[in-house]
Amino acid sequence: MQINTFTKTIAIISTLTFSFIAMQNQTNAADETPSFEPKYLKGDAEKGKMKYMVCVNCHGPTGGGNIIFKSAALPGQQDWYLQSQLQKFKLGMRGTKPGDIAGMQMRAMSMTLATEQDMADVVAYIKTFPPVVAAPTLKGDLAKGKATFEKFCIECHGPKALGLKEKQSPSLMGLTDWYIITQVKNVQNGLRGYAPNDKHVHEMKEKIVTITDEQTIIDVALYILSLQEAPAK
């Protein structure tokens, strides 16, 4: 009898995740993280295609993301940001905080990429994916969301939410509302940015820690979605 592909995916990810949880009982990876300086390498998309296979189950064949695994949409993201985040996961700067199950799953997968060049190759392949526009799944007030965005987000992410390399802030294009909301809360709650040398996320937390109203976070997420442009046909 064949086992359902989805069931096998869950089993594999669960095994890897709980292995890493066990490792955290012996050492706190965040405390031992060395000084972080991202390495940006030129990747080979053809080589990255095969290496991306480990990402398909959670992010999908064209990187669209998956609400079940809480995984981000990848098209539209800058290559330098994707490389830096893979490096952070592997170093334990992300995905080692107790309670961050999705992050632990991602870290487990990142460990299968042996070198920074492997990561660059995967990112180069991701950059071949067609852009996506996320459809809203929630309701909110775009005017209020715009005001919140301009007060808390525009300095680092830019007026069109395209991100700024000097701030190490990602593009928000293509991201779903539920993913944006989850990451805002993760930063506020310390599931992201807990590593002492993750200074840019620390700066983000300082800015948004006072946003405690759920609807305010929803409003700003929906405003960000409104900035997305439909791909040219």
Side-chain angles (χ1 to χ4, degrees):
M1 181 176 67
Q2 290 185 333
I3 300 176
N4 181 276
T5 300
F6 178 80
T7 303
K8 290 199 292 184
T9 298
I10 293 290
I12 292 169
I13 292 176
S14 297
T15 299
L16 288 168
T17 299
F18 285 113
S19 295
F20 279 101
I21 292 174
M23 289 171 61
Q24 297 315 306
N25 292 331
Q26 299 177 2
T27 180
N28 187 325
D31 292 341
E32 299 178 1
T33 301
S35 178
F36 180 64
E37 293 294 337
K39 296 179 181 178
Y40 304 127
L41 304 175
K42 182 177 177 59
D44 184 318
E46 191 59 35
K47 292 180 179 178
K49 183 176 182 178
M50 182 61 68
K51 297 169 185 176
Y52 180 79
M53 294 306 295
V54 72
C55 314
V56 168
N57 286 328
C58 292
H59 290 281
T62 56
N66 188 313
I67 192 170
I68 295 174
F69 298 114
K70 303 292 187 273
S71 56
L74 304 175
Q77 193 54 265
Q78 305 102 325
D79 51 1
W80 56 264
Y81 184 77
L82 292 173
Q83 288 191 41
S84 71
Q85 296 311 295
L86 283 170
Q87 292 168 33
K88 283 185 178 183
F89 274 113
K90 189 160 186 179
L91 287 171
M93 294 175 67
R94 287 188 66 178
T96 57
K97 192 75 169 179
D100 185 12
I101 300 302
M104 290 179 176
Q105 293 170 354
M106 178 64 204
R107 184 172 190 241
M109 296 305 170
S110 74
M111 299 299 281
T112 66
L113 300 173
T115 68
E116 284 87 1
Q117 187 60 59
D118 290 329
M119 297 176 187
D121 292 343
V122 167
V123 169
Y125 179 62
I126 290 170
K127 295 299 290 182
T128 68
F129 296 163
V132 296
V133 173
T137 65
L138 301 167
K139 295 184 181 298
D141 188 316
L142 293 183
K144 290 181 179 179
K146 180 180 180 181
T148 302
F149 180 86
E150 291 177 344
K151 181 178 180 179
F152 294 99
C153 314
I154 197 170
E155 180 182 351
C156 293
H157 291 281
K160 297 294 186 180
L162 296 174
L164 296 170
K165 187 174 183 179
E166 60 268 27
K167 296 281 190 178
Q168 288 292 297
S169 58
S171 169
L172 305 177
M173 295 298 94
L175 296 180
T176 55
D177 49 14
W178 54 262
Y179 183 81
I180 294 170
I181 292 164
T182 297
Q183 296 311 306
V184 167
K185 291 180 178 179
N186 282 353
V187 171
Q188 290 178 326
N189 298 332
L191 293 184
R192 280 190 70 171
Y194 53 84
N197 53 355
D198 202 352
K199 63 178 183 178
H200 296 289
V201 183
H202 296 171
E203 292 170 359
M204 178 180 175
K205 183 174 183 179
E206 290 175 0
K207 287 180 179 295
I208 66 173
V209 70
T210 58
I211 305 176
T212 57
D213 178 62
E214 174 85 9
Q215 190 59 51
T216 299
I217 300 175
I218 293 173
D219 290 343
V220 74
L222 293 174
Y223 173 70
I224 291 168
L225 262 63
S226 76
L227 297 175
Q228 301 180 32
E229 298 181 357
K233 295 183 178 180

